[in-house]
């Protein structure tokens, strides 16, 4: 069964073809990073306009790479939320048009569920129940997955998501956009010498990253950190601040994910979402978890359409198909 996946929830226009939910036949991503970098962050209207421009060429590339024509496809899976309304509308409308023209079944996919299904593209055996740590630009969720489509959200962020915190910290340190990779690069040249707070929120599985971000902002504003350009001998530098920040965020993510996986007595712990591309986070979780940790390849952690198609396959298998009334839901929840 060949599924065409379409993902336009944020700033990547992505189209992929996946066979039987596991074999990637193509995975095309047209990135808008260079466009939004000029503004220091994503501008929603610019993003939707860019999706309009990029979606058809990206789809043509994906179909050519997969060596498939319209007649070879069995269904279309498209991200319906959560995300930016204008961006989601582009993908959903294109998917609907194809579905009508080619009489193909269509399914609306929750972007977060898509992130989880990136694991199915890694060729590993997946054992339910499992716990997923989903860390992206908009979410830091701890989810118990009891089977396909069966989720219990056990913890979530109370303020900034992990990726959002990385992006804001990078801006504070003048490291540019996108912030996650920028912090990771800087941190690899620094030492975590600055004590930053960790919000443990004892007794809950929730996260909070606004405190560590504010503490960093205060240090920089108070002249307690010498940013890279003005590196001094007596002050910790910007790269040390990046390393300290990254460590503070990872400490909490790893401790809470391991604790929840233990409590739930699961056999596998999944790390997914854009922040899962972070090498230190991957290593720390693998090193500290007594339960086997599965992480997608970095290109399948950040936004892509292969994960949407993989997820769509399971929806089709279970008969969970949408109809012509499919709409976008910008604040769609997982459970
Ligand atoms: O999943 P994703 O691509 O898009 C959303 O669904 O939000 O995640 C994007 C987030 C951004 O906040 C970005 O800074 C972060 O993931 N990110 C990283 C890394 N690569 C991307 N954070 C830390 N380290 C990275 N290497
Ligand atoms: Zn995402």
């Amino acid at each position: 069964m060949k599924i065409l996946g379409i993902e336009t929830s944020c700033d990547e226009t992505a189209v992929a073809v996946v066979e039987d939910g596991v074999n990637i036949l193509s995975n095309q991503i047209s990135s808008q990073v260079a466009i939004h970098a000029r503004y220091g962050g994503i501008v929603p209207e610019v993003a939707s306009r860019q999706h309009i421009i990029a979606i058809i060429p990206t789809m043509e590339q994906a179909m050519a790479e997969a060596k498939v024509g319209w007649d070879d496809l069995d269904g279309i899976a498209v991200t319906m939320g959560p995300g930016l309304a204008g961006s989601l509308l582009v993908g959903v409308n294109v998917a609907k048009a194809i579905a009508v023209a080619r009489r193909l079944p269509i399914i609306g996919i929750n972007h977060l569920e898509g992130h989880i299904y990136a694991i199915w593209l890694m060729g590993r055996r997946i054992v339910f129940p499992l716990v997923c740590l989903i860390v992206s630009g908009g979410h830091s969720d701890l989810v118990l997955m009891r089977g396909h489509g069966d989720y219990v959200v056990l913890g979530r962020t109370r303020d900034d998501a992990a990726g959002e915190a990385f992006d804001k910290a990078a801006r504070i340190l003048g490291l540019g956009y996108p912030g996650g990779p920028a912090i990771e690069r800087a941190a690899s040249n620094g030492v975590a010498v600055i004590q930053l707070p960790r919000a443990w929120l004892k007794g809950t599985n929730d996260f909070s990253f606004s405190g560590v971000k504010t503490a960093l902002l205060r240090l920089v504003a108070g002249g307690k950190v010498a940013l890279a350009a003005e590196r001094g001998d007596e002050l910790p530098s910007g790269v040390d601040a990046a390393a300290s920040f990254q460590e503070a965020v990872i400490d909490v993510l790893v401790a809470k994910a391991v604790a929840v996986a233990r409590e739930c007595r699961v056999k596998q712990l999944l790390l997914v979402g854009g922040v899962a591309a972070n090498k230190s986070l991957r290593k720390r979780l693998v090193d500290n978890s007594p339960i086997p940790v599965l992480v997608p390849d970095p290109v399948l952690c950040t936004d892509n359409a292969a994960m949407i198609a993989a997820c769509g396959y399971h929806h089709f298998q279970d008969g969970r198909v949408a109809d012509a009334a499919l709409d976008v839901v910008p604040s769609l929840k997982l459970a």
Side-chain angles (χ1 to χ4, degrees):
M1 187 179 205
K2 294 190 180 80
I3 305 292
L4 181 77
I6 299 178
E7 155 62 40
T8 64
S9 67
C10 193
D11 62 335
E12 314 281 20
T13 315
V15 184
V17 181
V18 171
E19 189 174 33
D20 298 334
V22 288
N23 293 327
I24 301 177
L25 302 185
S26 65
N27 190 20
Q28 292 287 327
I29 301 170
S30 167
S31 176
Q32 303 181 12
V33 161
I35 296 164
H36 297 288
R38 266 182 259 148
Y39 306 100
I42 295 163
V43 183
E45 186 175 333
V46 173
S48 17
R49 287 168 183 270
Q50 199 54 38
H51 285 306
I52 288 270
I53 295 167
I55 186 105
I56 300 298
T58 309
M59 188 179 307
E60 285 171 350
Q61 282 160 12
M63 303 228 353
E65 187 195 349
K67 298 189 175 58
V68 295
W70 296 115
D71 290 340
D72 300 314
L73 297 176
D74 299 292
I76 304 175
V78 61
T79 305
M80 63 180 292
L84 302 168
S87 290
L88 291 164
L89 281 167
V90 176
V92 167
N93 260 326
V94 166
K96 277 182 152 185
I98 298 167
V100 169
R102 305 300 311 185
R103 295 179 193 280
L104 284 168
I106 185 172
I107 181 74
I109 300 293
N110 181 313
H111 180 80
L112 298 175
E113 189 180 17
H115 272 303
I116 295 172
Y117 276 83
I119 280 293
W120 269 261
L121 298 165
M122 299 302 297
R124 299 282 299 271
R125 204 170 82 84
I126 313 294
V127 186
F128 294 122
L130 52 83
V131 162
C132 311
L133 172 60
I134 311 175
V135 271
S136 69
H139 293 81
S140 313
D141 291 348
L142 273 166
V143 177
L144 173 66
M145 184 177 185
R146 297 184 291 202
H148 291 293
D150 182 358
Y151 307 100
V152 184
V153 179
L154 300 173
R156 53 166 55 95
T157 185
R158 295 198 179 170
D159 39 57
D160 292 352
E164 185 182 2
F166 269 93
D167 293 336
K168 288 177 176 170
R171 207 171 303 151
I172 291 167
L173 294 171
L175 295 171
Y177 166 89
I183 292 275
E184 178 169 26
R185 261 193 313 277
S188 69
N189 294 317
V191 183
V193 288
I194 306 170
Q195 266 308 315
L196 291 171
R198 280 106 170 116
W200 292 110
L201 304 179
K202 289 241 161 60
T204 82
N205 301 314
D206 288 349
F207 299 102
S208 165
F209 295 113
S210 69
V212 59
K213 173 202 67 189
T214 306
L216 180 70
L217 179 63
R218 290 224 177 92
L219 285 175
V220 172
K224 301 270 180 6
V225 172
L227 296 182
E230 49 197 67
R231 186 170 197 158
D233 287 339
E234 54 300 326
L235 291 179
S237 67
V239 291
D240 297 331
S244 308
F245 175 84
Q246 180 173 272
E247 189 169 283
V249 172
I250 290 177
D251 276 355
V252 180
L253 289 175
V254 168
K256 293 218 164 203
V258 168
V260 167
R262 269 207 170 119
E263 248 167 59
C264 295
R265 299 172 182 278
V266 293
K267 299 222 161 44
Q268 288 178 336
L269 173 56
L270 272 47
L271 171 63
V272 301
V275 182
N278 186 286
K279 290 188 213 68
S280 304
L281 172 59
R282 297 163 80 95
K283 183 168 174 358
R284 281 280 302 284
L285 191 58
V286 169
D287 290 351
N288 286 279
S289 172
I291 296 147
V293 176
L294 304 186
V295 195
D297 285 343
V299 70
L300 296 171
C301 289
T302 45
D303 287 351
N304 66 87
M307 67 187 196
I308 302 301
C311 183
Y313 170 79
H314 290 279
H315 280 251
F316 282 119
Q317 289 292 310
D318 298 346
R320 289 178 280 152
V321 180
D323 59 24
L326 177 65
D327 193 4
V328 304
V329 183
S331 58
L332 187 63
K333 299 279 181 287
L334 191 58

